[in-house]
């Protein structure tokens, strides 16, 4: 006759295993939700940048109808200043994001990872460049709407835009060199 022996069953161990399984599932759900939130915020920021460009173009288009309306010009001037401020904030944010990517030390990188980094950098530079253009167009509109055509002021604005453009070029060069390196 054969007898079978059953391994000892510890209910505490079984409950712990179930609890760990549930925790692992919850963490996966949290990670997925976090990814969705970050994607939403990124799309929201990109949409704001595009909307700012459209708002500036609308102000330019409608200026010929409202140039003599002080209230409309003042309102447009305030909006342009707000757009310039957002554009500057976005440029700083993209500078930091690009610097974070470029400063990461990766020695062995798979081709798919290189393509992913390239795609990420392309997108960041696209919106960085659009923010720079928005700021520059806003600076032109600000001069026009404020009526401040003093040579020193225009030279100051021109120099500021040149410095921002130089910073963009430097960031782009660093991103290109980083991609070549990996």
């Amino acid at each position: 006759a054969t007898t079978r022996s059953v391994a000892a069953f510890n209910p505490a161990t079984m409950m712990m295993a179930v609890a760990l399984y549930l925790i692992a599932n919850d963490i996966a759900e949290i990670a997925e939700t976090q990814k969705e939130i970050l994607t939403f915020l990124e799309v929201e920021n990109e949409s704001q940048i595009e909307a700012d460009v459209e708002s500036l173009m609308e102000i330019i288009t409608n200026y010929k109808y409202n140039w003599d309306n002080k209230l409309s010009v003042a309102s447009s001037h305030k909006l342009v200043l707000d757009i310039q401020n957002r554009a500057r904030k976005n440029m700083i944010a993209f500078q930091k994001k690009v610097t974070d990517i470029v400063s990461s030390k990766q020695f062995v990188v798979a081709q798919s990872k290189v393509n992913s980094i390239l795609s990420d950098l392309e997108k960041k530079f696209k919106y960085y460049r659009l923010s720079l253009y928005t700021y520059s167009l806003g600076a032109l509109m600000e001069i026009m709407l404020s009526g401040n055509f003093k040579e020193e002021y225009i030279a100051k604005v021109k120099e500021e835009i040149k410095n921002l453009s130089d910073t963009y070029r430097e960031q782009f060069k660093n991103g290109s060199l980083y991609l070549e390196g990996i």
Side-chain angles (χ1 to χ4, degrees):
T2 23
T3 59
R4 290 189 181 174
S5 64
V6 178
F9 173 71
N10 185 345
T13 303
M14 184 60 83
M15 292 304 290
M16 186 59 78
V18 169
L20 288 174
Y21 176 78
L22 293 174
I23 291 171
N25 281 346
D26 287 346
I27 289 174
E29 287 178 25
I30 290 170
E32 183 63 30
T33 303
Q34 182 182 19
K35 187 176 180 180
E36 289 173 7
I37 290 170
L38 290 175
T39 301
F40 171 78
L41 291 174
E42 190 174 296
V43 168
E44 184 75 20
N45 189 38
E46 293 166 359
S47 299
Q48 180 66 56
I49 292 169
E50 292 169 2
D52 285 346
V53 172
E54 290 178 15
S55 295
L56 285 175
M57 294 309 295
E58 186 177 318
I59 291 170
I60 290 170
T61 303
N62 293 333
Y63 182 72
K64 62 185 171 188
Y65 305 116
N66 298 315
W67 66 270
D68 59 345
N69 183 337
K70 290 188 186 292
L71 182 61
S72 177
V73 170
S75 172
S76 295
H77 185 250
K78 169 78 170 88
L79 179 60
V80 166
L81 291 175
D82 290 344
I83 289 172
Q84 271 189 291
N85 189 38
R86 272 194 303 273
R88 184 183 298 275
K89 176 190 76 88
N90 288 328
M91 285 187 291
I92 291 169
F94 286 118
Q95 284 174 14
K96 289 180 180 180
K97 289 176 184 178
V98 168
T99 300
D100 286 348
I101 292 171
V102 170
S103 65
S104 67
K105 303 291 184 211
Q106 298 182 9
F107 300 109
V108 178
V109 180
Q111 183 63 36
S112 63
K113 181 73 171 168
V114 172
N115 291 338
S116 172
I117 293 171
L118 172 63
S119 174
D120 191 31
L121 279 174
E122 281 179 332
K123 189 173 187 180
K124 286 184 181 12
F125 277 115
K126 173 186 175 184
Y127 284 99
Y128 183 179
R129 186 174 50 250
L130 189 56
S131 295
L132 176 60
Y133 292 159
T134 302
Y135 182 85
S136 301
L137 183 59
L140 172 68
M141 294 298 301
E142 195 278 324
I143 290 170
M144 190 172 73
L145 293 170
S146 70
N148 187 355
F149 301 111
K150 294 178 184 165
E151 187 175 340
E152 316 81 53
Y153 180 67
I154 294 173
K156 177 184 147 293
V157 170
K158 179 182 170 189
E159 184 63 29
E160 184 176 12
I161 292 171
K162 183 184 178 312
N163 290 338
L164 292 170
S165 296
D166 290 345
T167 302
Y168 171 83
R169 277 191 212 96
E170 184 68 26
Q171 290 282 329
F172 190 84
K173 182 183 87 170
N174 291 342
S176 297
L177 292 173
Y178 174 75
L179 283 171
E180 285 178 18
I182 60 169

